[in-house]
């Protein structure tokens, strides 16, 4: 597969997944805001902080309010990570690989883009916002389903899955961070009904409430965090994402699962095994936020390694001169 | 009560669907009866449905400078153009003849130049052509074929005859719209396809693939399409053809010449490429061979091509045959190489580098269409009767400054096809671009791109300038 094509498929899927997760960010915050006690002001600034685009936001909007943050994360074409920008980028990437992906995949990306573009241009009120965010998630799921059902599960598909799962692992860590920023739980508040409501809102936003309840029943902060970080079977849990991403990486390279033959495999393998051997007590004692910072840094390095290993167009040692003399 | 067809008036133009007012041509009577039987508003509904299909398919063409992903939806009209079997037989034989003659011509120009020695074409016309490439002298493309893929523009005028308007022998585009227009029409009017026997166009990709594979001696050559990238206005077509032929769509950066052969960079290794269907212009193929200032292209590609390590379709240098001044000599070219009379006539053409012609052109600018000899896509064109005094004066200055770069033709009363305008049909001018492939033999796709000037009275059919598209039904 062409390096450029592999890169486009990878990024196509990262952007779709990113758009979906930005919808989840907003949803979790909207849900949390609805449950805030009277008199408390809504907290939108933390949401921007978790995306890592804090400086850009402040430069452009100044104060973080519901309107400005939603505009920035959803509709701002100058924010390269807004949902609108993600869809534009996803579609541009899809256009460059139309001959590799199925017609159905292309048409879904196109419809998804048109839906977001039209939604943004019509303007979103608090009434329509929920439906819009739900539609973003549904369209992302539809794309994922169409990909699985219409694309050969070969190299291209594995690059797609690799991109999607690394993006998802990163964003799940950030959704958990929203809660962390939202309200540093004082010891007194932990376990209060209000705290429980917030954690279940968060589970909902990760589409994890039912699966969590099946496994744990009772909602407690530690088990929720554990579920979303360390569960090997829940598809939005960080560990699950890393396990499957690593499977895809091995499938691309053609290497055995316990070996590494390049930097990408080495870094991803190491990160995955850290998750295998981590437990919540360690994570909490180091601090949840610090844990996520460290995780996101390592994930970025893995992404760098993937770029270097598969996508970078290095100059090739050719020998035109010699050829001409002969 | 649907659209009242009795009101439709060809207004003295040759109409592709009507013999005269109220009198459909034999091939279109069924279509028009069907349209007339549709309930009020149904035709507009189908038009809107077709536009939605096009939007969801992402069937677009690029327009530079637009913010919204650089694309526009391709304007499409649901009333098809119908070509009778007899007309098509005539067109097809004319195109085969032209394709063979032009290939013999190109091969001669880059070898013995007998046609120049025999005085059929003036030497300086060839050497001053921008499409003539000195580095191609003496090259032997596989099977002696230079132009494998051509799109030849035809027009029909008041006398009912088809004329060749221009030959596109470099990188003709538009065939994707032929394939997609048919898909849209099948979704929009399935019942009509049951009633009519329309010759299918879906065979084009496999014909093209055969043509490209014919360029290599290998049993299973690696064939790729080379595109300038997503900002090219025909990118949609490049990706569609790559998809339908199951081949890689590469950009220049994906290719590298190593030890004299062309390779593509994959995630695992460099992979040898044997045949390139290139959709970039000669100038940008190889910065070492043509434009040293260019950052585009694949360094070393021409050298590899010259050594026969890779085949290119079309071969570099075919532009000499679609130079609009050389066009005027094509009837003579056909006669010279094939000893036949041209089946499809040319449009009378005045060559501005000829003193007598130039004087005539400058005196009759208000009646003529002036075209730049080396431009395509309707750029550099001046339509005398529709131009302002100032535009004509500017045009005259350009002609006097660089006569070799201009030709002129009479303003043609292009034939028309009924076209949906709001709630009724009006005649709009059309041309026709059939596609011709030259591999083992010459193949003509039964159909083609019917471009329609959507603006009332306009003669400009180019999509960049208010043109749209219609499906072309060749009846069997």
């Amino acid at each position: 597969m062409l390096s450029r094509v592999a890169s486009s498929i990878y990024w196509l899927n990262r952007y779709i997944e990113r758009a979906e997760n930005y919808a989840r960010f907003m949803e979790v915050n909207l849900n949390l805001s609805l449950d805030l006690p009277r008199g408390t002001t809504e907290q939108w600034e933390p949401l921007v902080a978790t995306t890592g685009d804090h400086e850009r936001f402040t430069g452009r909007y100044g104060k973080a309010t519901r309107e400005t943050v939603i505009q920035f994360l959803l509709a701002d074409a100058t924010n390269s990570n807004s949902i609108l920008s993600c869809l534009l980028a996803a579609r541009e990437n899809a256009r460059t690989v139309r001959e590799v992906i199925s017609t159905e995949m292309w048409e879904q990306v196109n419809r998804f883009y048109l839906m977001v573009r039209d939604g943004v241009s019509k303007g979103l009120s608090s009434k329509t916002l929920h439906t819009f965010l739900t539609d973003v998630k549904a369209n992302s799921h539809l794309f994922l389903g169409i990909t699985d059902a219409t694309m050969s599960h070969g190299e291209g598909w594995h690059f797609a899955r690799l991109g999607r799962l690394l993006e998802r692992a990163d964003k799940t860590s950030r959704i958990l961070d929203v809660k962390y920023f939202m309200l540093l739980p004082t010891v007194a508040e932990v376990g209060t009904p209000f705290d429980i409501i917030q954690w279940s809102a968060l589970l909902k936003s990760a589409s994890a409430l039912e699966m969590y309840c099946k496994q744990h029943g009772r909602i407690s902060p530690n088990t929720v965090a554990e579920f979303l970080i360390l569960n090997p079977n829940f598809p939005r849990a960080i560990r699950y994402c890393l396990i499957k991403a690593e499977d895809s990486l091995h499938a691309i390279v053609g290497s055995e699962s316990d070996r590494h033959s390049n930097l990408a495999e080495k870094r991803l393998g190491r990160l995955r095994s850290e998750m295998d051997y981590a437990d919540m007590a360690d994570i909490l004692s180091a601090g949840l936020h610090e844990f996520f910072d460290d995780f996101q840094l390592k994930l970025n390095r893995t992404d760098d390694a993937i770029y270097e290993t598969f996508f970078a167009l290095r100059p090739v040692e050719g020998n035109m001169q010699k050829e001409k003399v002969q | 009560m649907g659209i009242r067809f009795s009101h439709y008036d060809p207004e003295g133009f040759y109409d592709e669907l009507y013999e005269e007012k109220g009198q459909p041509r034999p091939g279109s009577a069924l279509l028009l009866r069907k349209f007339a039987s549709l309930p009020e508003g149904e035709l507009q509904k189908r038009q809107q449905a077709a536009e939605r299909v096009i939007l969801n398919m992402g069937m677009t063409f690029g327009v530079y400078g637009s913010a919204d992903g650089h694309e526009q939806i391709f304007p499409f009209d649901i009333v098809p153009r119908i070509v009778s079997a007899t007309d098509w037989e005539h067109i097809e034989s004319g195109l085969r003849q032209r394709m063979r003659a032009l290939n013999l011509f190109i091969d001669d120009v880059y070898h013995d130049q007998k046609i120049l020695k025999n005085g059929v074409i003036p030497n300086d016309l060839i050497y001053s052509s921008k499409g003539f490439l000195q580095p191609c002298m003496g090259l032997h493309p596989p099977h002696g074929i230079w132009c494998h893929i051509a799109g030849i523009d035809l027009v029909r005028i008041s006398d009912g005859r088809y004329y060749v308007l221009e030959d596109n022998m470099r990188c003709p585009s538009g065939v994707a719209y032929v394939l997609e227009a048919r898909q849209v029409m099948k979704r929009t009017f399935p019942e009509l396809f049951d009633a009519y026997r329309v010759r299918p166009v879906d065979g084009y990709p496999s014909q093209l693939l055969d043509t490209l594979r014919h360029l290599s001696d290998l049993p299973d050559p690696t064939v790729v399409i080379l595109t300038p990238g997503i900002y090219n206005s025909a990118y949609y077509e490049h990706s569609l053809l790559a998809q339908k032929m199951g081949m890689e769509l590469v950009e220049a950066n994906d290719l590298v010449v190593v030890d004299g052969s062309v390779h593509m960079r994959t995630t695992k290794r460099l992979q040898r490429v044997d045949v390139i269907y290139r959709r970039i212009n000669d100038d940008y193929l190889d910065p070492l061979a043509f434009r040293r200032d260019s950052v585009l292209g694949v360094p070393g590609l021409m050298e590899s091509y010259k050594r026969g390590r890779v085949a290119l379709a079309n071969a570099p240098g075919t532009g000499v045959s679609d130079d609009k001044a050389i066009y005027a000599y094509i009837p003579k070219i056909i006669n010279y190489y094939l000893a036949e009379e041209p089946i499809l006539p040319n449009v009378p053409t005045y060559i501005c580098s000829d003193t007598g012609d130039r004087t005539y052109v400058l005196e009759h600018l208000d009646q003529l269409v002036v075209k730049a000899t080396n431009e395509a896509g309707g750029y550099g064109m001046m339509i005398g009767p529709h131009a302002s005094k100032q535009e004509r004066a500017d045009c005259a200055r350009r002609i006097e400054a660089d006569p070799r770069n201009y030709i002129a033709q009479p303003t043609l009363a292009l034939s028309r096809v009924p076209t949906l305008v709001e709630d009724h049909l009006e005649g709009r001018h059309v041309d026709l671009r059939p596609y011709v492939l030259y591999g083992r033999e010459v193949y003509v796709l039964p159909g083609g791109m019917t471009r329609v000037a959507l603006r009332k009275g306009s003669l400009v059919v180019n999509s960049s300038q208010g043109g749209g598209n219609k499906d072309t039904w060749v009846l069997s």
Side-chain angles (χ1 to χ4, degrees), chain A residues 89-289:
Chain A
R91 185 165 174 276
E92 291 289 270
N93 276 292
R95 282 182 69 202
T96 68
V97 294
R98 263 176 86 158
E99 79 289 0
V100 181
I101 62 178
S102 67
T103 301
E104 287 82 356
M105 287 168 73
W106 159 252
E107 292 193 1
Q108 172 54 19
V109 175
N110 195 42
R111 270 195 305 268
F112 192 177
Y113 161 75
L114 293 171
M115 170 247 151
V116 168
R117 188 194 67 179
D118 293 346
V120 165
S121 70
K122 272 185 213 136
L124 291 159
S125 65
S126 51
K127 255 190 204 160
T128 54
L129 187 60
H130 271 290
T131 320
F132 180 83
L133 296 175
T134 309
D135 284 350
V136 169
K137 286 194 300 181
N139 269 287
S140 168
H141 290 164
L142 190 51
F143 177 72
L144 172 59
I146 289 172
T147 303
D148 273 6
T150 65
M151 187 182 192
S152 298
H153 290 203
E155 192 180 356
W157 184 85
H158 282 294
F159 271 112
R161 190 167 76 155
L162 183 63
R164 186 186 320 121
L165 291 180
L166 293 186
E167 181 69 24
R168 188 185 293 168
D170 177 74
K171 292 302 176 285
T172 295
S173 78
R174 290 173 194 270
I175 288 181
L176 277 161
D177 239 9
V178 177
K179 164 66 179 148
Y180 169 88
F181 271 109
M182 188 72 194
L183 205 71
L184 288 171
T186 60
V187 179
E189 277 174 336
V190 172
T192 62
F194 181 55
D195 193 40
I196 301 297
I197 287 169
Q198 289 200 330
W199 282 104
S200 52
L202 187 135
L203 280 169
K204 235 187 207 160
S205 294
S207 299
L209 187 59
E210 293 77 16
M211 296 305 126
Y212 172 87
C213 288
K214 256 194 167 29
Q215 187 153 345
H216 296 287
R218 226 180 127 264
I219 287 174
S220 81
N222 281 6
T223 43
V224 171
E226 185 177 10
F227 186 75
L228 289 179
I229 300 171
L230 297 179
N231 192 293
N233 299 315
F234 180 65
R236 307 201 71 81
I238 292 173
R239 186 168 160 219
Y240 171 92
C241 293
L242 296 182
I243 292 170
K244 296 297 175 186
E246 196 186 10
D247 286 351
S248 277
L249 194 53
H250 286 314
I252 290 164
V253 179
S255 55
E256 289 169 38
S257 58
D258 55 349
R259 300 277 166 77
H260 73 263
S261 59
N262 58 51
L263 192 61
E265 283 185 311
K266 182 175 167 182
R267 286 186 181 162
L268 184 54
R270 188 177 277 171
L271 193 55
R272 190 261 312 142
S273 72
E274 274 180 31
M275 292 294 160
D276 288 349
Y277 296 102
D279 60 45
M280 272 321 277
D282 299 342
I283 293 173
L284 289 173
S285 72
L288 198 56
H289 180 62

Side-chain angles (χ1 to χ4, degrees), chain B residues 387-405:
Chain B
S388 67
K389 218 171 169 179
Q390 182 63 45
E391 284 165 334
R392 287 202 292 269
D394 290 345
C395 181
R397 256 195 305 283
R398 284 198 301 273
I399 293 174
E400 279 163 343
D402 184 8
R404 171 63 179 87
N405 198 32

Side-chain angles (χ1 to χ4, degrees), chain B residues 113-142:
Chain B
Q113 306 194 329
K114 289 186 199 127
I115 196 163
L116 304 185
K117 288 170 191 156
N118 289 333
V120 179
I121 297 182
N123 267 1
D124 57 338
L125 205 58
I126 300 291
Y127 287 106
S128 62
S129 170
K130 284 179 190 150
F132 174 75
L133 300 181
Q134 193 66 46
C136 295
M137 283 303 294
L139 293 188
H140 292 278

Side-chain angles (χ1 to χ4, degrees), chain B residues 245-285:
Chain B
M245 293 189 287
M247 58 179 60
E248 298 285 358
L249 179 62
V250 304
E251 296 176 12
N253 279 337
D254 298 323
L255 297 181
V256 59
V257 177
V258 182
D259 297 334
S261 299
V262 180
H263 296 77
M264 54 184 171
R265 306 172 201 250
T266 75
T267 52
K268 297 205 171 73
R269 67 188 83 82
L270 292 177
Q271 187 186 337
R272 175 87 185 259
V273 171
D274 305 302
V275 179
I276 301 175
Y277 176 25
R278 49 90 175 206
R279 293 295 297 260
I280 65 180
N281 292 337
D282 288 348
D283 281 356
Y284 296 105
L285 273 179

Side-chain angles (χ1 to χ4, degrees), chain A residues 1-6 88 91-92 95-103 106-107 110-111 113-114 117 155 159 251-254 309-311 313-320 322-326, chain B residues 54-60 67-71 180 187 230-232 235-236 239-240 242-243 247-251 253-254 256-260 264-268 270 288 299-300 303 307 309:
Chain A
M1 166 165 283
L2 288 177
S3 295
R4 178 179 54 79
V5 168
L88 197 57
R91 185 165 174 276
E92 291 289 270
R95 282 182 69 202
T96 68
V97 294
R98 263 176 86 158
E99 79 289 0
V100 181
I101 62 178
S102 67
T103 301
W106 159 252
E107 292 193 1
N110 195 42
R111 270 195 305 268
Y113 161 75
L114 293 171
R117 188 194 67 179
E155 192 180 356
F159 271 112
I252 290 164
V253 179
T309 309
F310 301 107
F311 307 151
L313 296 179
R314 276 172 242 90
V316 176
E317 299 287 320
N319 206 336
M320 287 295 300
K322 194 175 94 196
E323 189 69 18
K324 274 178 184 158
V325 179
Q326 282 172 348
Chain B
I54 291 169
L55 182 68
N56 284 333
M57 281 160 78
M59 181 178 162
T60 59
D68 191 11
H70 309 274
E71 296 161 85
E180 298 288 75
R187 289 200 212 178
I230 59 168
Y231 297 110
N232 184 269
Y235 180 77
Y236 175 84
S239 64
L240 185 97
Q243 186 181 39
M247 58 179 60
E248 298 285 358
L249 179 62
V250 304
E251 296 176 12
N253 279 337
D254 298 323
V256 59
V257 177
V258 182
D259 297 334
M264 54 184 171
R265 306 172 201 250
T266 75
T267 52
K268 297 205 171 73
L270 292 177
L288 300 180
E303 190 59 31
R307 287 162 184 270
R309 301 284 189 87

Side-chain angles (χ1 to χ4, degrees), chain B residues 76-77 80-81 178 181-182 185 193 450 469-473:
Chain B
F76 181 74
D77 180 79
R81 176 215 206 112
V178 177
R182 183 60 54 83
M185 285 299 277
F193 285 88
T450 291
N469 228 15
K470 282 171 172 291
D471 194 10
T472 309
W473 291 4

